[in-house]
Amino acid sequence: MGNCECHKTKHRSDDEFRDLLNRLSRIEGQIRGIKKMLENDAYCVDILTQVSAAQAALNSFNRVLLNNHIRTCVAEDIRRGNDEVIDELTGLLQKLMK
């Protein structure tokens, strides 16, 4: 029942929820690892490499979530005649591409 109404919640399938949660848990672990590297005086290049990996993981999370959003929320709203969702999506894409 992919439901993205105004003010706004979204019921996700169990598979989608688990996938997104697992991705965030891995990212959280990466961030904790970066913090530990800093606390242990790790070499700057090594820390920056791990930050880059965490950013890539966040970008991947965003791609999965955005893909799901377009396929469910956006498509359903357009089918219902709610074209405002297009403006919302284009604004979101501008934020993501900064």
Side-chain angles (χ1 to χ4, degrees):
M1 175 183 203
N3 187 2
C4 254
E5 304 276 288
C6 280
H7 301 322
K8 290 191 179 182
T9 61
K10 162 79 167 143
H11 176 73
R12 293 177 174 81
S13 71
D14 289 344
D15 288 343
E16 179 185 357
F17 178 80
R18 272 193 304 277
D19 176 54
L20 291 171
L21 194 59
N22 287 339
R23 287 172 183 273
L24 285 176
S25 293
R26 285 192 298 272
I27 293 165
E28 184 179 37
Q30 286 177 300
I31 300 301
R32 280 194 308 270
I34 293 166
K35 183 179 177 188
K36 188 172 207 99
M37 290 175 77
L38 184 64
E39 292 169 346
N40 292 331
D41 298 324
Y43 186 55
C44 298
V45 171
D46 296 336
I47 295 172
L48 290 165
T49 299
Q50 290 306 309
V51 169
S52 179
Q55 286 175 323
L58 277 169
N59 288 339
S60 178
F61 176 87
N62 274 351
R63 279 190 301 274
V64 169
L65 188 58
L66 181 59
N67 184 42
N68 291 342
H69 177 61
I70 291 169
R71 290 179 183 276
T72 58
C73 302
V74 173
E76 289 172 14
D77 278 351
I78 289 172
R79 284 185 199 111
R80 280 187 235 139
N82 179 8
D83 290 341
E84 292 173 10
V85 72
I86 295 169
D87 292 335
E88 179 186 63
L89 180 60
T90 56
L92 173 63
L93 291 172
Q94 288 175 357
K95 287 178 187 176
L96 293 175
M97 293 177 149
K98 283 186 178 181

